[in-house]
Amino acid sequence: MITLVTVKIDRVVKRFGEIVALKGVSLEIKHGELFTLLGPSGCGKTTLLRIIAGLEYPDEGRVYFDGSDVTDLKTYERGAVLVFQNYALWPHMTVYENIAYGLKIRKIPRDEIKERVKRALELVKLEGYEDRYPTQLSGGQQQRVALARALAVQPKLLLLDEPLSNLDAKLRIEMRSEIKRIQRELDITVIYVTHDQEEAMALSDRVAVMNFGVIEQVGTPREIYQRPKTKFVADFMGKNNILPAKILEIKNGRATLEVLGHRISGIPAENILGDYSDLYFSIRPEKVSLTPFEGAQAFEGRVDLVEYYGFFVEIVIKIKDVFFFVRVPDLKEPLKQGDNIKVYFNPRDVILLQE
Amino acid sequence: MNTKMATVVKKVRHRKILENIFGIPHFDLFAIVSYVIPLAYIFIFLIVPLAEMLKIAFTYNGAFSLHWFKSIFSQEFYISPKPQGSLYVDTPQYIYVEGLDFGVILNSLIVAMFVTLLATLIGVTLAYVMYRYTFPGKSIFRVLLIVPLLMTPFVNAYVVKLIFRENGIFNWILHDLIGILPKPIRIDGLVGVMIAQAIAYYPIVYLNTYASFVNIDPSLEEQAENLGSRGFKLLRTITLPLALPGIAAGATLTFIFSLEDLGAPIAFHSASIAKKLITYQIYDKFLSETGYRSPEIAALAIILLALSLLAFALIRKYVSLRQYAMMSKGGRWYVRTVKPKWWQYVIIYTIVLPLVLFTITPQIGVILLAFSKEWSRTPYPRGFTLQHISQIALDPSVRRYVINSITYAFTAILIIVVISVMASYVSNRFRGVLSPIVEALTVFPLAVPGIVIAIGYFYFFASITPKTSVLNPLSVSFNPGPILIIAYSIRRMPFTARSIYAGIQQVHASLEEAAMNLGSTRWRAVMGILVPLIAMNVLGGAMLSFVYAMSETSVSITIGSLEMSKAPMTAYMRDLIVSAAGSAHMAAALGFILIAVQISAIILSTIITKQRYAFIGIT
């Protein structure tokens, strides 16, 4: 029987010698949720995942599954199954033996093992590969076997450590839909680690963005993309224009700023996250337009570079030696380097952030 | 609430202690046992005997004293900066070369240094030729280069002595046939020891260097060539510096092996200057003063140990500082070879080939000696006979030595494998205070000269066992078997431990973690996942340890000869070599058995592990 599990992480601290990998991290992960730990390499996300798996132990803080403290349980007592980044398939065992391993340890009868290996392989669409050895499989197939091996034991909690990072771009997108489909089908709680923000957004119910051993923000992909709470999150999630800004005045719930020598007004005060000093102005490139509209604010600069991406065009504009990015669906007229250009945006799309 | 908090705090504190000492986060019986057993075994059977010897060497009239060391250093017999004797003696029939006598300690150092120099020169040159060039006959070279590794204690050096007699094959060719020598040269004494050792040990440098060359990422050389470097400049600035750790490791091992060698001095002992080496002196005094815990022997052994340890410590430090040859990542690479230029062909076939052929003459000589009736007055042996070989098979009094050796070596290997797997596992997988200590201890025996272990064991077992016990070397009912097994297991452990350690390094820790994460205990993950994956390394290392245990001399001819009915074959070979002429044939026949065992082991490990060589290294 698969039982759903909630995970609570309470003020977890982990040090490796002088380095503090996790600086008091707390999190709650709900039943049946696909939860992603997202952050650059070295941010502590894999360490946190290994602590949940029971492969590392926190120096301080506790870990709870369904309200019971599992901090002192060994990895083989926890039932939180990890799919390793390098897959960790045993090269001396066949696909069948790899997947059956966890079942044999659980002393499941032979016939049932056969049945469950078969089902696990069906789930990852690798029927008929039982007798292959891992070295005879492609990277994507190895990845599926690793997943099947974890799923075969019907884990309470599935942990995925950058499972797609060794695959090529096309396969990565295919596999991430697969993972989502399997998670829905089995209805299990999944904690997913990645450094790829696009992957995190496409896949997750909720995301925790981590940096330097600290969780910067937890929320749905939409919340995190649209309302980043810190400069780091705004910068890390997708492309963003982040510029130093100064508040000139706030009147009737609207702020007026100075950004790169431009006076920008009409920004809703609720978009100011943090104190009123040392602020950064941020706006997404796709929220900027080349045509004026009612209530728009504007920047002026010179065209530096135009890059064609297919479904959008990116224009790099130099405003007072600072690069400013604009993404528009297409260009009506060609732009040349050095052309003067004026770009427009809605002040409600501006968010003011702190470091 | 408070008590609950207290238990949590206590648990965390326990965990911290376990983590600091063992590098394990939880109490884990298997992990702790895997630490304790190797530590205890090496501590009891290596550190304690050495400590016992230290105590004896530093005691005079019941108190701590440097007396014995002062006494040694003040005697001209041990250190004589003004050499005695002359470099050569011009007799009417031949020129006699045996070396100058600088006193026992300096002699040992000078011999070891010359041997290291010579072996490094030959070894590095051959390694470079084999690494860089393709030429007809290269595969024959490759086989020939393994031959000098085949060890037949005493007999190898004895054959070198035969070759360099005034009527030996060396003078027969260069004086009688070609005539480039105006007078025959007879090489004996310390110079003879030097040549015998250099020939025997250069393959250690060769193999370490060759392995280093092959491990260089070709793109490093390619980048240098791409930037305009080539030929000798490329060798000097890129290739050699990258291989330097391997070369240094091989050279240091050679230095230590030469320093601790007892076989060549015994084979050359008829020239009394060959006796003036530290190992021989310890051995000689051990034989004449058995039953007496001589502080002078202990002090001499400590000096030998100190010299060897110093070399070992320096190389460990150096190699650990320069672990870059293997740094680059990437797939399996090819070895970059080129065709030699015409003058390089000339060098390969007129200098390198004869050199290699010369270095395998001891092994050829051993086989000729084993199957010949007589080889004393002539340059080559006379009369073919199977008498010696068949005597080993048929005469129970000879056969038992072979059986003893196999029994002791095999039992030692079982101990070695168990301890090496445990020690390599914990030192590789955990990061506790003890992890590097365990790792260092498994390699440490390489630095301890065999004769030092022999003396240490003699004192140790004589003092801890009851006077009449079979384990007491002073007892009339003494059985050397158990002590020899322990000695072999300690002395030959580094080969297996290194091989297993390297194997575990190749296996990513996540493979065991995945098993444990799926519910397997650590014991089950190690036995079911790790051990099968490193089986080839275990086997390769065990075979190497086995052949080296079979040919062990120092402990075998000291403690082993205390009761000849239980003695190993090397003890009997020593008796044969030092007794009247003629018995050398029997010793050679036993040497032939050793060669056969070694060749089978090499072939087996090549077939099974698909590695080209089982080789000796400390890196």
Side-chain angles (χ1 to χ4, degrees):
Chain A
M1 266 307 291
I2 296 172
T3 47
L4 291 178
V5 74
T6 61
V7 178
K8 186 177 160 198
I9 292 151
D10 186 21
R11 286 164 291 172
V12 160
V13 174
K14 179 72 185 175
R15 300 181 197 90
F16 293 109
E18 297 292 298
I19 301 152
V20 187
L22 295 171
K23 302 171 183 165
V25 167
S26 296
L27 264 183
E28 282 193 56
I29 294 150
K30 298 174 200 153
H31 283 293
E33 190 171 40
L34 204 163
F35 190 93
T36 297
L37 300 171
L38 172 68
S41 52
C43 73
K45 55 191 190 300
T46 294
T47 304
L48 183 56
L49 195 73
R50 287 172 62 86
I51 284 175
I52 298 169
L55 291 166
E56 304 277 356
Y57 296 88
D59 294 316
E60 287 165 38
R62 315 300 294 169
V63 179
Y64 303 89
F65 288 178
D66 280 338
S68 59
D69 189 340
V70 296
T71 320
D72 292 320
L73 291 187
K74 292 172 187 172
T75 184
Y76 44 83
E77 298 162 338
R78 285 199 193 186
V81 177
L82 175 64
V83 175
F84 288 75
Q85 182 172 11
N86 63 358
Y87 316 139
L89 295 178
W90 302 304
H92 59 309
M93 296 184 189
T94 61
V95 166
Y96 181 90
E97 289 165 336
N98 263 283
I99 299 174
Y101 186 88
L103 302 170
K104 280 183 192 153
I105 293 217
R106 284 164 177 71
K107 300 204 165 54
I108 285 163
R110 266 182 88 87
D111 294 342
E112 199 189 331
I113 291 183
K114 251 186 178 158
E115 185 50 41
R116 277 167 69 168
V117 172
K118 194 166 160 262
R119 250 189 302 152
L121 280 172
E122 277 168 18
L123 208 55
V124 298
K125 299 182 177 158
L126 267 186
E127 298 97 325
Y129 281 73
E130 284 88 345
D131 295 330
R132 303 272 189 104
Y133 282 91
T135 46
Q136 299 169 312
L137 302 176
S138 70
Q141 290 168 335
Q142 290 182 15
Q143 211 284 320
R144 286 161 195 261
V145 175
L147 193 59
R149 184 175 69 183
L151 293 173
V153 301
Q154 298 173 347
K156 294 195 274 187
L157 174 61
L158 183 64
L159 309 172
L160 302 169
D161 185 7
E162 307 231 13
L164 309 180
S165 63
N166 293 329
L167 304 181
D168 63 59
K170 197 161 178 293
L171 202 56
R172 200 153 57 216
I173 292 168
E174 236 172 82
M175 274 308 292
R176 89 183 173 212
S177 318
E178 281 297 290
I179 288 171
K180 185 99 178 161
R181 176 183 63 78
I182 290 166
Q183 188 250 345
R184 289 274 171 272
E185 205 170 310
L186 299 178
D187 200 17
I188 51 177
T189 308
V190 174
I191 304 179
Y192 191 102
V193 158
T194 182
H195 64 270
D196 181 340
Q197 48 91 18
E198 188 188 305
E199 194 172 293
M201 290 204 283
L203 199 64
S204 319
D205 295 319
R206 284 195 306 147
V207 179
V209 184
M210 294 181 70
N211 189 28
F212 287 121
V214 166
I215 291 181
E216 300 249 341
Q217 188 172 0
V218 183
T220 62
R222 190 186 156 84
E223 280 166 6
I224 284 178
Y225 188 80
Q226 306 233 330
R227 305 275 302 173
K229 279 188 181 157
T230 64
K231 183 180 168 231
F232 173 80
V233 175
D235 203 18
F236 191 73
M237 300 297 291
K239 200 146 200 174
N240 218 335
N241 293 299
I242 298 173
L243 309 164
K246 213 164 88 189
I247 295 185
L248 299 175
E249 59 166 5
I250 300 178
K251 224 194 250 170
N252 304 330
R254 301 273 153 168
T256 304
L257 317 171
E258 196 203 293
V259 184
L260 297 178
H262 293 74
R263 200 181 155 87
I264 308 290
S265 57
I267 294 162
E270 64 265 28
N271 286 9
I272 306 175
L273 305 174
D275 303 332
Y276 290 177
S277 58
D278 295 327
L279 281 173
Y280 288 89
F281 165 103
S282 87
I283 187 154
R284 297 277 177 195
E286 66 270 21
K287 300 282 187 190
V288 185
S289 152
L290 299 183
T291 45
F293 55 88
E294 177 74 40
Q297 297 288 305
F299 281 131
E300 268 180 274
R302 282 169 190 278
V303 174
D304 191 64
L305 210 61
V306 178
E307 289 173 340
Y308 184 72
Y309 280 85
F311 55 100
F312 65 85
V313 179
E314 185 168 288
I315 307 154
V316 184
I317 297 165
K318 227 174 173 178
I319 307 169
K320 288 199 162 183
D321 290 334
V322 174
F323 293 116
F324 187 86
F325 303 91
V326 177
R327 282 176 179 180
V328 294
D330 208 349
L331 290 178
K332 290 188 187 78
E333 293 158 32
L335 287 168
K336 283 205 311 290
Q337 187 179 11
D339 284 355
N340 280 322
I341 192 169
K342 201 166 178 186
V343 295
Y344 306 89
F345 55 91
N346 190 330
R348 277 178 310 199
D349 291 329
V350 172
I351 293 174
L352 293 174
L353 299 160
Q354 234 166 352
E355 189 81 53
Chain B
M1 180 65 203
N2 265 342
T3 51
K4 198 181 164 193
M5 278 292 283
T7 48
V8 169
V9 168
K10 212 171 139 196
K11 251 184 190 167
V12 169
R13 196 170 301 147
H14 281 166
R15 198 156 66 211
K16 270 288 151 198
I17 293 168
L18 284 173
E19 210 164 344
N20 286 339
I21 297 177
F22 299 106
I24 53 173
H26 271 295
F27 177 79
D28 186 317
L29 191 65
F30 172 61
I32 289 180
V33 165
S34 299
Y35 267 108
V36 170
I37 288 181
L39 276 173
Y41 191 80
I42 300 172
F43 184 76
I44 294 170
F45 293 121
L46 187 60
I47 308 299
V48 174
L50 294 182
E52 173 79 12
M53 211 165 57
L54 268 177
K55 204 180 82 190
I56 295 170
F58 283 102
T59 306
Y60 182 62
N61 287 337
F64 174 84
S65 161
L66 291 175
H67 172 83
W68 300 107
F69 293 93
K70 279 187 192 147
S71 137
I72 286 173
F73 285 117
S74 63
Q75 289 174 50
E76 217 167 63
F77 181 76
Y78 289 111
I79 293 182
S80 125
K82 256 200 263 142
Q84 314 281 309
S86 53
L87 202 54
Y88 63 90
V89 182
D90 200 351
T91 71
Q93 295 83 30
Y94 53 84
I95 297 168
Y96 185 71
V97 184
E98 63 167 5
L100 297 172
D101 180 8
F102 287 87
V104 169
I105 292 172
L106 290 182
N107 285 348
S108 276
L109 276 175
I110 291 168
V111 168
M113 279 188 303
F114 268 103
V115 169
T116 307
L117 207 69
L118 209 57
T120 307
L121 213 66
I122 303 175
V124 173
T125 310
L126 286 172
Y128 186 70
V129 168
M130 294 302 286
Y131 163 64
R132 180 57 12 110
Y133 300 109
T134 44
F135 48 89
K138 188 174 177 178
S139 48
I140 298 170
F141 267 67
R142 217 186 276 285
V143 175
L144 292 182
L145 278 167
I146 302 184
V147 174
L149 271 182
L150 303 171
M151 287 173 315
T152 50
F154 316 111
V155 200
N156 266 12
Y158 181 80
V159 170
V160 172
K161 190 173 142 181
L162 288 184
I163 291 169
F164 284 104
R165 275 183 324 190
E166 66 274 22
N167 53 3
I169 195 156
F170 177 78
N171 286 311
W172 183 63
I173 294 175
L174 294 185
H175 177 258
D176 299 4
L177 283 184
I178 309 177
I180 46 172
L181 287 181
K183 223 177 187 183
I185 296 176
R186 177 174 171 186
I187 293 174
D188 201 352
L190 291 177
V191 180
V193 169
M194 244 180 242
I195 291 177
Q197 289 180 347
I199 293 175
Y201 299 141
Y202 88 85
I204 298 167
V205 181
Y206 163 73
L207 288 174
N208 274 286
T209 309
Y210 185 78
S212 291
F213 280 148
V214 175
N215 276 330
I216 296 173
D217 184 340
S219 65
L220 297 177
E221 279 192 353
E222 282 167 351
Q223 178 68 86
E225 280 182 3
N226 179 250
L227 291 169
S229 177
R230 67 200 169 100
F232 186 69
K233 179 141 189 125
L234 181 71
L235 172 67
R236 191 177 60 81
T237 56
I238 305 291
T239 319
L240 269 188
L242 285 172
L244 213 51
I247 298 171
T252 310
L253 273 180
T254 302
F255 183 82
I256 293 173
F257 281 17
S258 163
L259 209 55
E260 71 148 6
D261 179 44
L262 192 47
I266 285 176
F268 279 94
H269 81 292
S270 59
S272 64
I273 193 173
K275 296 181 181 175
K276 291 196 75 179
L277 288 166
I278 306 180
T279 46
Y280 195 93
Q281 287 303 313
I282 298 174
Y283 170 67
D284 201 34
K285 291 191 166 58
F286 173 82
L287 288 190
S288 57
E289 296 173 18
T290 300
Y292 162 61
R293 290 152 64 98
S294 158
E296 200 181 342
I297 299 181
L300 210 49
I302 295 294
I303 293 168
L304 181 63
L305 176 65
L307 292 173
S308 173
L309 276 185
L310 188 69
F312 187 72
L314 287 177
I315 190 61
R316 287 268 294 185
K317 184 86 191 154
Y318 172 76
V319 171
S320 70
L321 286 177
R322 288 168 186 261
Q323 287 264 349
Y324 40 50
M326 302 276 279
M327 205 168 60
S328 331
K329 288 179 176 172
R332 198 168 298 169
W333 48 62
Y334 57 95
V335 175
R336 303 175 70 232
T337 52
V338 295
K339 273 210 157 70
K341 300 189 185 78
W342 69 266
W343 57 270
Q344 290 167 329
Y345 271 118
V346 172
I347 291 179
I348 289 172
Y349 292 118
T350 62
I351 298 176
V352 179
L353 180 63
L355 182 71
V356 172
L357 288 176
F358 170 65
T359 62
I360 67 170
T361 46
Q363 280 72 20
I364 296 172
V366 169
I367 295 170
L368 291 177
L369 199 57
F371 290 99
S372 65
K373 287 193 179 119
E374 202 244 313
W375 187 8
S376 50
R377 300 268 160 255
T378 46
Y380 40 84
R382 282 204 293 215
F384 174 82
T385 177
L386 287 173
Q387 184 208 327
H388 313 298
I389 292 289
S390 60
Q391 200 187 336
I392 297 173
L394 301 176
D395 183 348
S397 69
V398 181
R399 191 173 57 206
R400 68 163 185 234
Y401 296 114
V402 180
I403 294 171
N404 287 346
S405 272
I406 292 175
T407 314
Y408 300 157
F410 187 78
T411 317
I413 295 320
L414 296 181
I415 299 172
I416 288 176
V417 166
V418 170
I419 293 199
S420 300
V421 168
M422 286 180 172
S424 307
Y425 174 70
V426 295
S427 58
N428 217 308
R429 290 296 191 244
F430 304 123
R431 291 284 164 267
V433 177
L434 282 179
S435 321
I437 297 176
V438 172
E439 191 265 338
L441 279 179
T442 58
V443 197
F444 178 56
L446 263 188
V448 184
I451 192 73
V452 174
I453 291 189
I455 304 299
Y457 276 17
F458 183 80
Y459 295 152
F460 175 65
F461 283 99
S463 69
I464 63 154
T465 55
K467 283 249 173 326
T468 52
S469 154
V470 290
L471 284 176
N472 193 319
L474 300 176
S475 139
V476 280
S477 56
F478 176 61
N479 177 357
I483 297 183
L484 287 175
I485 290 169
I486 294 168
Y488 293 175
S489 71
I490 291 282
R491 291 205 66 199
R492 302 319 191 203
M493 184 180 301
F495 305 115
T496 305
R498 286 326 287 167
S499 174
I500 294 178
Y501 190 88
I504 295 179
Q505 257 177 342
Q506 299 295 314
V507 179
H508 200 281
S510 65
L511 292 190
E512 295 129 59
E513 286 177 350
M516 286 193 280
N517 182 250
L518 284 168
S520 139
T521 58
R522 190 179 293 285
W523 161 255
R524 198 163 169 183
V526 169
M527 296 314 288
I529 305 289
L530 183 64
V531 170
L533 285 172
I534 57 164
M536 295 301 119
N537 301 77
V538 175
L539 203 71
M543 278 188 194
L544 202 59
S545 289
F546 181 77
V547 298
Y548 277 84
M550 286 280 290
S551 53
E552 202 277 346
T553 53
S554 302
V555 185
S556 304
I557 65 172
T558 47
I559 292 178
S561 352
L562 291 176
E563 171 49 54
M564 277 316 277
S565 70
K566 299 280 195 295
M569 58 197 286
T570 43
Y572 183 54
M573 286 166 76
R574 187 219 73 108
D575 285 1
L576 290 169
I577 278 290
V578 297
S579 60
S583 0
H585 293 277
M586 194 62 218
L590 286 164
F592 177 75
I593 302 275
L594 280 178
I595 288 180
V597 169
Q598 292 169 47
I599 290 177
S600 327
I602 290 172
I603 291 173
L604 256 175
S605 70
T606 311
I607 292 171
I608 299 172
T609 68
K610 295 191 178 63
Q611 289 167 344
R612 208 188 290 281
Y613 315 107
F615 90 91
I616 320 162
I618 57 169
T619 52

